[in-house]
Amino acid sequence: MAGGAQRPFEHMALGLVPLVTDVKDWHELFVLDGFGFSCDPNDKNSIKELLLDLHKRKDELYEIGQKNREKILSTWNYDYEFKKIEKFI
């Protein structure tokens, strides 16, 4: 349950780029739309390759981090979600 883990969203709110476990739900939520990266935490080579790749892309990480922060502020937050149901209350 990707939405049940708070930490990646907290990182995004800070303008950071989450590194998540490479499972289907997390991959679909964070990786496919470019909000984060994934690797296999049980495979040290997977982690190593990801970190080496990210080290080469420092400038891009800043831009992704800013996009992440904006996503949290605009739509991935409780205020936004609650506004959808306010009209029913």
Side-chain angles (χ1 to χ4, degrees):
M1 183 172 78
Q6 188 69 21
R7 190 67 45 116
F9 299 102
E10 291 172 353
H11 288 172
M12 290 176 66
L14 294 170
L16 300 173
V17 180
L19 307 180
V20 297
T21 301
D22 193 18
V23 295
K24 184 179 183 250
D25 288 347
W26 288 42
H27 187 83
E28 289 174 356
L29 185 62
F30 296 107
V31 180
L32 289 181
D33 288 329
F35 297 116
F37 297 91
S38 66
C39 64
D40 180 352
N42 297 313
D43 179 0
K44 64 182 177 184
N45 287 326
S46 174
I47 299 167
K48 175 185 169 185
E49 292 302 317
L50 175 61
L51 294 177
L52 288 172
D53 181 51
L54 294 177
H55 180 70
K56 296 174 190 172
R57 301 164 68 178
K58 290 180 206 172
D59 294 336
E60 183 182 351
L61 290 178
Y62 176 79
E63 307 243 343
I64 295 170
Q66 295 308 303
K67 178 180 90 168
N68 288 351
R69 188 171 186 322
E70 194 55 42
K71 182 67 171 178
I72 295 294
L73 292 173
S74 65
T75 56
W76 282 5
N77 63 67
Y78 289 118
D79 287 339
Y80 179 81
E81 292 300 320
F82 288 146
K83 283 182 183 178
K84 294 176 185 179
I85 63 169
E86 279 181 343
K87 60 185 171 192
F88 300 109
I89 298 174

